[in-house]
């Protein structure tokens, strides 16, 4: 329960800094000040009259692309080097499988 509230607090903090106007300079150090603070620097500029839903959707997409949430999930529990190596091998296997499937689809579309 405490980890869930920590994750939600981090997301809210990231969202709060993401919607700061561009004219306001943000000063952040490269190293997080505390172990619970993330070095997240994701910004989404909201256009005039743009619905907040679309800006939030763009923000979520940027967070997913940055990989910070996956990093948080992996750091939730201690992972020794052997477990990390196994996880990386499984991820690489899945990535290669998806690349092969994508290449096969592209070949089928050309013919």
């Amino acid at each position: 329960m405490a980890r869930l509230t920590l994750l939600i607090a981090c997301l809210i903090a990231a969202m709060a800094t993401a919607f700061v106007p561009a004219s306001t300079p943000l000063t952040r150090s490269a190293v997080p000040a505390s172990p619970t603070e993330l070095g997240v620097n994701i910004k989404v500029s909201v256009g005039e009259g743009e619905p907040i839903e679309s800006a939030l959707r763009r923000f979520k997409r940027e967070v997913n692309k940055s990989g910070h949430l996956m990093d948080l999930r992996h750091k939730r529990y201690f992972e020794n080097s052997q477990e990390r190596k196994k996880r990386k091998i499984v991820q690489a296997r899945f990535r290669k499988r998806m690349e092969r499937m994508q290449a096969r689809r592209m070949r089928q579309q050309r013919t």
Side-chain angles (χ1 to χ4, degrees):
M1 184 67 180
R3 291 183 178 135
L4 179 63
T5 55
L6 177 65
L7 177 63
I8 291 172
C10 289
L11 281 175
I12 290 172
M15 286 191 327
T17 59
F19 291 104
V20 173
S23 62
T24 309
L26 273 178
T27 56
R28 288 191 147 229
S29 60
V31 178
S34 69
T36 57
E37 182 183 340
L38 296 174
V40 181
N41 195 11
I42 298 172
K43 296 180 184 176
V44 175
S45 58
V46 181
E48 190 67 34
E50 180 184 9
I52 193 70
E53 288 83 16
S54 66
L56 188 59
R57 190 170 38 248
R58 285 190 294 125
F59 173 73
K60 286 180 181 179
R61 191 178 309 129
E62 288 295 321
V63 168
N64 285 334
K65 283 195 317 189
S66 71
H68 285 92
L69 287 180
M70 286 302 293
D71 193 38
L72 272 178
R73 286 187 192 122
H74 294 308
K75 289 184 176 183
R76 185 175 293 168
Y77 301 105
F78 178 75
E79 183 179 44
N80 62 22
S81 60
Q82 185 178 11
E83 291 170 345
R84 186 180 310 118
K85 188 185 287 187
K86 284 181 183 178
R87 178 176 53 84
K88 294 283 187 178
I89 288 170
V90 168
Q91 284 177 343
R93 194 177 297 149
F94 180 76
R95 190 173 49 250
K96 286 290 186 185
R97 182 173 150 219
M98 290 295 129
E99 288 173 3
R100 282 195 308 268
M101 288 173 59
Q102 183 72 19
R104 188 178 340 138
R105 285 188 189 130
M106 295 300 287
R107 281 193 307 267
Q108 286 176 352
Q109 285 179 356
R110 280 189 263 155
T111 59

